[in-house]
Amino acid sequence: MPDHTRTHLLAAIELAASARAHGNHPFGALLTDASGGVLLTAENTVLTDHDVTAHAETNLVRAACRALAPHQLTETVLYTSTEPCAMCAGAIYWSGIRRVVYALAATELNAIAGADPDEPVLDLPCRLVFAAGGNTVEASGPHLFDEASAVHTGYWG
């Protein structure tokens, strides 16, 4: 794994820790330009915003679409602490972002979190969501299981 990929994934994991410290689910994401410079960051704000759609990736996509032109979005890379859910993958797809790198797989998160009727799971890998569209979105992951899973320790259940 290239050093910049590791650096950006660790930063996304730190954003997840920050989200948890702010009273939200532990997820974080960031957006870089083609040269690897960080453009935007976002945390999950589902609980503090009382908005079930306020996942880190969706918050990031909203901010990115306000800040960047469509042709700029196609040149960015979204790094996230955990594989995007189906909702977030759809938002990423529609935004024009064409590369996603994630640390923890959704299946790994589900194993850590366990079954909870108050936290339903939509088991649809981001690659399947991306593959259903006409534009290519490359997904890379999972990476950094130990680091990415640590932020979830003791949170779920």
Side-chain angles (χ1 to χ4, degrees), residues 54-149:
H55 292 193
E57 299 90 344
T58 304
N59 288 340
L60 186 63
V61 165
R62 287 181 185 129
C65 288
R66 286 187 210 108
L68 301 170
H71 74 276
Q72 293 173 303
L73 287 167
T74 63
E75 299 173 3
T76 62
V77 180
L78 189 150
Y79 292 86
T80 183
S81 62
T82 304
E83 180 179 358
C85 72
M87 175 186 70
C88 292
I92 292 163
Y93 174 84
W94 288 113
S95 75
I97 295 167
R98 295 293 171 246
R99 180 161 162 71
V100 174
V101 183
Y102 60 90
L104 189 67
T107 53
E108 294 168 333
L109 172 64
N110 294 342
I112 293 166
D116 181 349
D118 294 328
E119 293 290 339
V121 173
L122 181 58
D123 188 13
L124 185 59
C126 71
R127 283 178 173 86
L128 290 179
V129 175
F130 297 148
N135 294 316
T136 300
V137 180
E138 177 190 346
S140 175
H143 306 285
L144 304 179
F145 173 82
D146 291 338
E147 296 89 334
S149 62

